[in-house]
């Protein structure tokens, strides 16, 4: 059964769940959005992710389980980080997302699972949300999963802007 929570950041609710899905690029990037928050609050997850080979296409569709602080984090490799600053929309790999979700169902059926709508945000694929939700429904429709639908942030950029505004006021 899929539930959707709107306009609430998943990082504040991770302790309500057994398994947290984390959308990952094959390029070992955890520098923006939800995955950045995971890396800051659960540094062991970032350390374990950094042990995977950078840019390895074989990671597409794979999941990596990291257990820390009584939680299970499931890293889902399903998009590529664009190299250019102005990237084209939609760099999620839908077949990889589907394979990741099949792996999640196989590994964690019976557990309380939470996730962002992986692949739909600018920081994890910029994909078509309706298409992505259809994939979730097809693969995860019979498990207990809660999807968090909110706009993720680039906290480093936000902090830089706040500091710049503060300095301007001085």
């Amino acid at each position: 059964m899929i539930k959707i929570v709107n306009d609430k950041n998943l990082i504040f609710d991770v302790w309500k769940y057994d398994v947290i899905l984390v959308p990952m690029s094959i390029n070992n990037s955890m520098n923006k959005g939800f995955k950045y928050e995971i890396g800051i609050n659960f540094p062991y997850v970032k350390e374990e992710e950094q042990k995977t080979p950078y840019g390895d296409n074989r990671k597409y569709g794979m999941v990596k389980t990291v257990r820390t602080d009584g939680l299970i984090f499931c890293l889902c490799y399903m998009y590529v980080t664009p190299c250019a600053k102005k990237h084209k929309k939609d760099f999620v790999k839908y077949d990889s997302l589907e394979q990741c979700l099949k792996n999640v169902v196989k590994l964690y059926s019976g557990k309380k699972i939470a996730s962002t709508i992986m692949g739909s945000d600018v920081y994890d694929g910029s994909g078509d949300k309706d298409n992505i939700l259809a994939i979730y429904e097809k693969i995860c429709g019979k498990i207990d999963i809660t999807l968090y639908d909110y706009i993720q942030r680039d906290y480093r950029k936000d902090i830089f802007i706040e500091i710049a505004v503060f300095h301007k006021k001085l």
Side-chain angles (χ1 to χ4, degrees):
M1 177 170 89
I2 297 175
K3 293 174 241 136
I4 296 180
V5 174
N6 291 304
D7 300 323
K8 186 172 183 189
N9 190 328
L10 174 54
I11 198 69
F12 300 118
D13 286 349
V14 294
W15 299 106
K16 294 180 179 180
Y17 302 96
D18 303 316
V19 180
I20 305 298
L21 307 185
V22 183
M24 292 302 306
S25 160
I26 63 167
N27 294 339
N28 302 45
S29 175
M30 292 183 78
N31 58 359
K32 295 178 182 168
F34 177 65
K35 60 196 162 299
Y36 175 77
E37 296 168 342
I38 293 297
I40 291 295
N41 290 289
F42 303 94
Y44 181 69
V45 175
K46 185 171 184 173
E47 290 169 19
E48 286 300 303
E49 200 288 321
Q50 294 297 310
K51 293 178 182 177
T52 67
Y54 176 85
D56 186 347
N57 288 334
R58 294 175 297 175
K59 292 195 292 188
Y60 284 127
M62 294 179 66
V63 297
K64 178 175 180 161
T65 297
V66 180
R67 298 172 194 275
T68 186
D69 298 326
L71 290 170
I72 298 170
F73 292 93
C74 181
L75 308 179
C76 300
Y77 295 93
M78 36 60 76
Y79 75 97
V80 65
T81 304
C83 296
K85 289 193 185 256
K86 290 186 177 183
H87 56 77
K88 64 177 184 171
K89 186 169 172 39
D90 202 344
F91 49 100
V92 65
K93 300 243 183 222
Y94 294 100
D95 58 334
S96 296
L97 172 62
E98 197 167 317
Q99 186 58 50
C100 285
L101 292 175
K102 286 177 183 177
N103 290 332
V104 166
V105 169
K106 189 185 305 181
L107 291 168
Y108 304 116
S109 188
K111 302 229 182 253
K112 285 181 66 174
I113 303 167
S115 175
T116 59
I117 300 176
M118 295 190 304
S120 68
D121 192 83
V122 67
Y123 301 126
D124 65 11
S126 292
D128 179 273
K129 190 186 287 186
D130 291 334
N131 188 19
I132 291 167
L133 286 171
I135 292 169
Y136 270 100
E137 188 61 43
K138 178 173 111 179
I139 307 296
C140 301
K142 295 182 181 175
I143 65 171
D144 183 8
I145 187 167
T146 303
L147 302 178
Y148 282 70
D149 186 9
Y150 64 98
I151 297 171
Q152 297 179 38
R153 298 172 52 194
D154 178 350
Y155 288 95
R156 293 180 305 167
K157 181 179 176 185
D158 292 349
I159 290 168
F160 176 79
I161 290 169
E162 287 177 26
I163 291 170
V165 169
F166 176 74
H167 281 291
K168 191 173 183 179
K169 289 180 181 179
L170 292 180

